[in-house]
Amino acid sequence: MRINHNIQSINTYRQLNLTQASVSKSLEKLSSGLRINQAADDAAGLAISKKMQAQVRGLNQAERNMLDGISLTQTADGGLAGIQDMVQRMRELALQASNGTLTTEDRRAIQKELEQLKKGINEIANNTDFNGIRPLTQEVTTPFLPGANAAMVDIVFFIDYSGSMLGANRLDAVIQGISGFVDGLTKKSLNANIAVVNITTQNPYYKPFSENALVIKNNVETLNTATSLTKPYENINKTVPEGEIGQKLGYRSGSEKIFVLFTDVDNESGSGSEGDTAVLLEGTNDILGYDEDDIQTYVFSFGSLADTAFDQLTDTTGGKLYKSDEISTADDVKNKLQNDLTDDIENNSGGGISSEAQKGILYLQVGANQSDEMEIRLTNATTAGLGIHGVSVDTHEDAQLAIMQLDVAIEKVSMERSKYGAYQNALKYLHTNVTNAAENATSSESRITDANMAFEMTEFTKRNILMQSGQAMFAQSNQLPQGILELLKS
């Protein structure tokens, strides 16, 4: 028997401390409901669970993002529904104006209602808003059409309707080449609208922008109202965006502006000069050579005298002069339109996706990871975007053209509404998938981090009993040295 060291007491004390630590750990798990309360509890499990937790929280946020996206597409669809009704009414009026029983005054009355409907369409497009985003004023075409998200190019054809242009079938060659020209621009990722201006009239006559080749061809054909005065410079000056004609054509915001002149004249019958017009089209108003702000000008010269009349205009703006010997036949004209001109416009405009077009694209974060995005392409549902900015029913011919333009607009609005409906359905399916993924990830995280309360309660009860017995045995072990006193007494 020893006095200095009570080994039994020391052993009991050690066991009691271990039991107390176990009881403390059980109390921590029972009070928090978590199996892992600190890194030491399960280092590997903690790392895995935190990664899963980030995934779960990301999926939950993606779920809310998609609900916001659905709300945006519903807002856009609601605005387009109103616009569609107004375009349908405009077509109805155009059909009415086409009737030969109407007088000029009757058509003027119809035109007044058309103008109000145009204003109403622009009001809806400009005021349809979701959290500061206006989905119906954006410059991105539908992804279901060729050329989606392409660089925007607004092209104006200046047509010389003088006798020599008509007599040599040069105008017919231009008309025949328009479809190939429009297709060529689309294939080169250029989102092109084309307007037409007659440079051979006493009072300038024009047709607004359209992206439809049939409408453009019809515009060129119906503008054949020539007089003896050919005024290329004067009409070009009036067709810049801030000009008398330019304000009516419906240029798109942020688009590349390009002029194409078809003529065989070598002089100006009206006011203006090549130098003054070159300065106007040169972006810096300082003739130092082509820069990206210029309105690029291309000239199809059908006469030898015109071959040198417009070189300053094309050189200054970065365009090109197609000389008479290059376009001597109808096939030459069509080839230059469909191939050379489309290549030149692509090269000078940069082609591809424009920064302005990018503004019309929204990316919804629909998953928990960096690349989990869904692209939403917005719409330009203004009258300019629908190609009905200049719709007129002043004459029977205008009313017939208006019907064609409005048919195109109705088809475009219908496709845009279909697009937004497809977006909504896709987002709903993605939402279902994300909620399911979040549930499964939460279940996996729970198995790692959550405490099994029944098991922990059993462990706590066992350890609590051990602690109480340990305390009793500790007291007993401390009494063992008392036996030495009995020996000393004897």
Side-chain angles (χ1 to χ4, degrees):
M1 299 180 70
R2 289 167 285 186
I3 297 176
N4 290 331
H5 297 89
N6 187 345
I7 302 303
Q8 292 84 353
S9 177
I10 292 172
N11 180 266
T12 304
Y13 176 69
R14 180 178 63 79
Q15 292 292 343
L16 181 59
N17 279 338
L18 292 174
T19 303
Q20 284 179 328
S22 297
V23 169
S24 177
K25 185 63 66 176
S26 291
L27 285 172
E28 189 178 60
K29 292 178 179 179
L30 289 168
S31 61
S32 67
L34 296 175
R35 187 179 72 86
I36 304 174
N37 291 284
Q38 51 189 308
D41 292 340
D42 185 348
L46 178 70
I48 295 170
S49 67
K50 289 304 177 184
K51 184 163 58 175
M52 285 190 171
Q53 188 180 86
Q55 191 78 359
V56 170
R57 294 179 66 173
L59 289 169
N60 289 337
Q61 182 59 54
E63 180 184 350
R64 294 190 290 272
N65 291 349
M66 282 184 280
L67 292 175
D68 288 341
I70 291 172
S71 296
L72 181 141
T73 57
Q74 289 173 337
T75 300
D77 182 48
L80 285 171
I83 290 173
Q84 192 167 46
D85 289 341
M86 299 175 84
V87 176
Q88 292 279 15
R89 174 57 181 164
M90 290 177 70
R91 186 180 188 277
E92 184 180 344
L93 291 171
L95 287 168
Q96 182 183 359
S98 295
N99 195 5
T101 62
L102 270 62
T103 65
T104 301
E105 289 300 320
D106 294 333
R107 289 195 175 93
R108 286 177 183 170
I110 293 174
Q111 184 65 39
K112 288 181 180 179
E113 183 176 349
L114 284 175
E115 294 302 323
Q116 291 303 314
L117 287 168
K118 289 181 197 176
K119 289 181 181 178
I121 289 171
N122 288 329
E123 283 288 325
I124 293 175
N126 291 323
N127 294 324
T128 300
D129 183 282
F130 182 85
N131 193 35
I133 298 169
R134 294 181 178 176
L136 301 184
T137 59
Q138 306 298 321
E139 299 292 353
V140 176
T141 57
T142 168
F144 303 111
L145 293 176
N149 194 27
M152 292 184 298
V153 182
D154 286 337
I155 303 171
V156 181
F157 279 179
F158 293 90
I159 306 292
D160 178 357
Y161 287 95
S162 63
S164 55
M165 284 288 292
L166 299 175
N169 295 323
R170 293 165 178 167
L171 185 61
D172 288 340
V174 173
I175 293 171
Q176 293 170 22
I178 286 175
S179 296
F181 177 65
V182 173
D183 290 342
L185 292 173
T186 302
K187 291 176 182 177
K188 293 180 181 298
S189 296
L190 293 170
N191 173 17
N193 277 353
I194 300 173
V196 185
V197 174
N198 186 341
I199 65 167
T200 330
T201 55
Q202 185 68 37
N203 296 310
Y205 195 33
Y206 64 90
K207 293 293 183 181
F209 284 107
S210 175
E211 62 185 12
N212 185 283
L214 290 177
V215 173
I216 298 165
K217 290 170 70 174
N218 186 278
N219 288 344
V220 175
E221 291 173 334
T222 56
L223 273 181
N224 185 9
T225 55
T227 68
S228 59
L229 296 177
T230 304
K231 302 186 288 187
Y233 301 128
E234 182 176 332
N235 284 287
I236 288 174
N237 294 348
K238 291 179 179 180
T239 308
V240 296
E242 64 275 11
E244 175 187 335
I245 301 174
Q247 294 180 27
K248 301 175 182 179
L249 291 181
Y251 286 106
R252 295 174 294 178
S253 173
S255 65
E256 196 86 41
K257 278 73 174 177
I258 293 174
F259 289 172
V260 184
L261 172 62
F262 300 89
T263 185
D264 62 352
V265 303
D266 64 324
N267 56 14
E268 169 75 10
S269 298
S271 61
S273 68
E274 183 181 16
D276 291 340
T277 300
V279 170
L280 183 63
L281 300 183
E282 212 277 333
T284 60
N285 283 338
D286 184 12
I287 304 177
L288 299 174
Y290 164 67
D291 64 47
E292 61 183 7
D293 295 325
D294 298 345
I295 297 180
Q296 299 159 26
T297 303
Y298 299 84
V299 178
F300 279 67
S301 166
F302 292 96
S304 57
L305 294 176
D307 286 348
T308 57
F310 300 99
D311 52 353
Q312 183 182 3
L313 200 61
T314 54
D315 291 344
T316 301
T317 63
K320 184 175 180 180
L321 177 64
Y322 296 97
K323 295 185 178 182
S324 56
D325 58 352
E326 299 179 81
I327 49 176
S328 58
T329 68
D331 288 339
D332 290 339
V333 175
K334 289 188 287 185
N335 181 61
K336 292 296 181 186
L337 268 174
Q338 298 173 14
N339 298 309
D340 293 32
L341 183 57
T342 55
D343 288 342
D344 290 335
I345 290 175
E346 179 191 31
N347 293 334
N348 282 345
S349 66
I353 299 172
S354 70
S355 59
E356 288 294 325
Q358 287 281 31
K359 293 180 181 178
I361 299 178
L362 290 178
Y363 293 96
L364 298 181
Q365 185 68 34
V366 295
N369 302 314
Q370 180 181 2
S371 59
D372 296 339
E373 291 182 328
M374 177 177 174
E375 183 180 281
I376 300 290
R377 297 170 185 262
L378 304 182
T379 304
N380 183 2
T382 62
T383 53
L386 296 176
I388 56 174
H389 179 77
V391 163
S392 170
V393 293
D394 291 337
T395 66
H396 174 76
E397 291 74 18
D398 287 342
Q400 287 291 304
L401 176 61
I403 294 171
M404 183 184 298
Q405 292 173 312
L406 291 166
D407 282 340
V408 173
I410 289 170
E411 181 182 0
K412 182 172 182 179
V413 174
S414 297
M415 292 191 71
E416 291 298 306
R417 291 195 66 189
S418 175
K419 176 185 74 176
Y420 283 114
Y423 284 150
Q424 289 179 43
N425 290 334
L427 285 169
K428 288 176 182 177
Y429 287 123
L430 285 172
H431 180 267
T432 301
N433 180 66
V434 164
T435 54
N436 182 58
E439 178 185 345
N440 291 329
T442 302
S443 177
S444 297
E445 183 201 359
S446 174
R447 283 192 291 270
I448 297 172
T449 60
D450 289 347
N452 184 332
M453 299 300 284
F455 174 78
E456 292 300 335
M457 195 65 211
T458 302
E459 288 294 299
F460 171 73
T461 302
K462 179 183 72 175
R463 289 163 183 169
N464 193 35
I465 294 172
L466 285 173
M467 187 175 69
Q468 292 178 37
S469 64
Q471 289 172 341
M473 292 305 100
F474 185 53
Q476 291 295 326
S477 64
N478 283 335
Q479 295 298 319
L480 290 177
Q482 297 293 327
I484 296 175
L485 291 176
E486 297 297 325
L487 290 175
L488 293 174
K489 288 179 182 179
S490 59

